Amino acid sequence: LIMECKIIDRIKGRMGYLFYTRVYTPLKALQIRRKKCINVIFVVTELAPWKTELLYLAMLRHPRFNPVLRVLPSTENEDAKDEVIGYLENKCYPYVFVPKEVPLQKDFKSDIIIYQKPYKWVVFPKHQFVHNKNALFCYATYGIHNIVGNPYICNQPLFNYAWQYYFENTQSAEDHALDMDNKGRNILVTGVPIMDALLLPPSNLEVWKSQPTLKKRIIWAPHFSFGDSILGYSTFMKYYDFMLVMAQKYCDCVQFAFKPHPLLRTFLNKEWGKDRTDAYFLRWGDCPNTQVETGQYLDLFKTSDAMIHDCSSFTCEYTYMQKPVMYLLKGKDDCHRDTVDRMTQRAFDLHYKGFEEADIERFIVQVIEGCDEMALERKQFFEHYLLPPGGKSACQNIIDAILGNKD
């Protein structure tokens, strides 16, 4: 009887999915495209991964869109909303904070919802897409697509339910479609909003700590996935003391920005305890030539001279800077290449590789001396892979896709 109930539930779920994607979505899309004003909710839970700001602004300027910002509490970081709200108020963006017990669309029925992340557990139940299927979903990734072959990352339910799922280029779209249950039938090659943001010049805001003399600026961006994490990228536990040693040793000619993954502090609190974690972060904030960066980071990237990291999402993102970059590895680099798409493999090939402390120090010295053997190759990669298609911005391509505009 239990087995029969499970089979019936599975059949009902499949029928519900097919009805929503094959019947409701096309009809709703036709209705949306006929509307004079399309209501769009942008979900924002954390500041650093909010990569649809430029799309929000483009829609705000467009006569046929009414975009609104909904700030939601994050299940991953309960303090995140304060940073988000501070940023939005500083920018004078109107927003509404929606507590976890309040439905996402209370007092505002949307035609389209754009989620910040695809994972339903990063927001509370009433805010999850499965409880808001009266709207359509358009998904623009919060980074550059990279990981393949991992259902946890590549085949989230939202990806398959989305009306439109946006990609950087045809090659990435083809690689990721293979991992999806619907084989990418909703994928559109438009570019993604972060591409537009990465192509903009830096703002006039100074994001680096003031120094008495001009110094090289190096970012260290460690991932959170140490221990038994499903990803297992992080080399933080191997280098957390050594990087502070490097900052001290080269304090006369280099300043360092500690740019941890947003979840690193959460994981360290569990591993080390809050007091030790706070003390470590404080050390990075207190040294004259070091700083901690946990919010928006694109200006940091654009005004840096180099980066050292082990974050898969930054493998392509930092390549936009066309500056020297090192990837820290736990073992053979081929193991990392096996987990990413073809575009990211090529970007990874354009990284200097770090397997031990001596490699890191050698790279720091090369940055100080201005030595970069792969500069030309990175420039060629940028021109071939990293520009939005059609000679337009990614945001304009997305707006055209939603409206059904044809070239």
Side-chain angles (χ1 to χ4, degrees):
L1 182 61
I2 294 175
M3 182 62 70
E4 289 177 357
C5 289
K6 288 183 177 179
I7 292 172
I8 291 172
D9 288 343
R10 192 175 297 120
I11 292 172
K12 287 181 177 178
R14 180 62 180 170
M15 291 177 64
Y17 166 76
L18 290 174
F19 175 80
Y20 183 82
T21 57
R22 305 296 177 90
V23 180
Y24 180 79
T25 294
L27 292 175
K28 180 73 172 179
L30 284 174
Q31 178 190 28
I32 287 172
R33 285 173 171 167
R34 290 172 181 158
K35 291 186 67 175
K36 291 183 177 180
C37 185
I38 300 170
N39 292 326
V40 183
I41 286 179
F42 284 81
V43 166
V44 189
T45 57
E46 298 170 82
L47 187 56
W50 184 40
K51 298 302 195 306
T52 53
E53 180 179 359
L54 290 181
L55 181 59
Y56 164 73
L57 293 174
M59 287 184 174
L60 203 60
R61 295 188 295 266
H62 199 285
R64 290 195 58 196
F65 288 94
N66 175 33
V68 299
L69 299 177
R70 292 292 181 262
V71 178
L72 310 183
S74 168
T75 62
E76 297 179 298
N77 180 359
E78 63 182 16
D79 299 324
K81 71 178 180 66
D82 296 331
E83 188 174 31
V84 169
I85 289 172
Y87 179 82
L88 299 181
E89 290 183 347
N90 185 58
K91 290 270 191 159
C92 297
Y93 294 163
Y95 70 90
V96 172
F97 175 70
V98 185
K100 65 181 181 181
E101 66 276 5
V102 176
L104 174 60
Q105 298 189 74
K106 181 178 173 59
D107 301 326
F108 184 85
K109 299 303 181 185
S110 63
D111 300 300
I112 293 170
I113 301 174
I114 299 177
Y115 279 89
Q116 179 176 20
K117 291 182 179 180
Y119 318 112
K120 67 178 185 180
W121 52 84
V122 303
V123 293
F124 289 93
K126 289 188 177 181
H127 303 156
Q128 295 169 5
F129 87 90
V130 293
H131 298 297
N132 289 279
K133 288 192 288 187
N134 62 307
L136 298 186
F137 310 108
C138 297
Y139 187 70
T141 178
Y142 58 91
I144 300 293
H145 286 99
N146 52 81
I147 299 172
V148 290
N150 186 329
Y152 176 86
I153 301 294
C154 308
N155 195 34
Q156 285 294 315
L158 179 60
F159 296 158
N160 294 287
Y161 272 90
W163 170 38
Q164 297 183 346
Y165 182 16
Y166 307 118
F167 270 78
E168 299 83 355
N169 53 54
T170 302
Q171 189 178 78
S172 288
E174 290 173 349
D175 288 354
H176 288 263
L178 297 174
D179 288 322
M180 296 173 62
D181 286 342
N182 70 2
K183 300 306 175 187
R185 66 187 299 272
N186 55 347
I187 283 178
L188 295 174
V189 178
T190 57
V192 290
I194 190 175
M195 298 172 78
D196 294 347
L198 286 163
L199 291 168
L200 290 175
S203 70
N204 294 325
L205 182 67
E206 180 53 67
V207 294
W208 290 84
K209 187 181 288 186
S210 178
Q211 301 291 297
T213 59
L214 188 64
K215 299 177 182 180
K216 294 292 185 179
R217 296 168 166 179
I218 299 178
I219 302 166
W220 175 41
H223 202 256
F224 73 90
S225 56
F226 55 79
D228 297 327
S229 166
I230 191 171
L231 297 173
Y233 298 144
S234 182
T235 57
F236 175 82
M237 288 300 186
K238 184 176 181 179
Y239 297 120
Y240 68 88
D241 268 337
F242 176 73
M243 292 306 296
L244 282 167
V245 170
M246 289 294 95
Q248 178 62 37
K249 182 173 181 177
Y250 294 100
C251 63
D252 291 337
C253 50
V254 180
Q255 58 183 131
F256 289 85
F258 174 46
K259 171 66 187 76
H261 186 283
L263 289 180
L264 179 62
R265 190 163 200 154
T266 301
F267 275 66
L268 281 179
N269 283 339
K270 297 176 183 177
E271 182 76 14
W272 284 353
K274 188 175 185 302
D275 289 345
R276 183 181 174 188
T277 301
D278 289 348
Y280 183 79
F281 274 68
L282 191 61
R283 289 174 68 189
W284 277 98
D286 282 350
C287 296
N289 67 318
T290 65
Q291 61 195 69
V292 180
E293 296 295 331
T294 58
Q296 295 279 39
Y297 57 83
L298 295 187
D299 275 341
L300 190 78
F301 275 22
K302 293 170 185 179
T303 53
S304 66
D305 294 294
M307 184 164 76
I308 300 166
H309 75 102
D310 54 18
C311 294
S312 184
S313 61
F314 286 166
T315 304
C316 282
E317 283 184 42
Y318 196 75
T319 313
Y320 274 87
M321 305 303 107
Q322 302 184 55
K323 297 171 182 176
V325 56
M326 169 170 275
Y327 198 103
L328 301 179
L329 290 146
K330 287 184 172 180
K332 294 181 179 179
D333 59 348
D334 286 342
C335 296
H336 179 69
R337 294 183 88 260
D338 292 342
T339 66
V340 295
D341 62 21
R342 287 174 289 171
M343 180 177 75
T344 310
Q345 287 178 4
R346 180 59 184 141
F348 179 69
D349 291 340
L350 298 174
H351 281 61
Y352 298 95
K353 307 302 189 299
F355 297 95
E356 56 188 37
E357 292 177 355
D359 297 328
I360 297 174
E361 184 163 13
R362 190 178 304 113
F363 177 74
I364 292 170
V365 172
Q366 287 177 347
V367 173
I368 294 170
E369 295 176 348
C371 177
D372 182 13
E373 297 174 354
M374 289 191 277
L376 179 59
E377 290 179 88
R378 280 199 306 275
K379 183 176 185 296
Q380 292 170 342
F381 174 81
F382 169 84
E383 293 171 348
H384 185 72
Y385 285 102
L386 302 183
L387 299 175
K392 295 186 288 187
S393 70
C395 291
Q396 184 59 55
N397 286 332
I398 289 171
I399 285 174
D400 288 344
I402 291 172
L403 297 177
N405 294 340
K406 304 294 183 182
D407 290 332

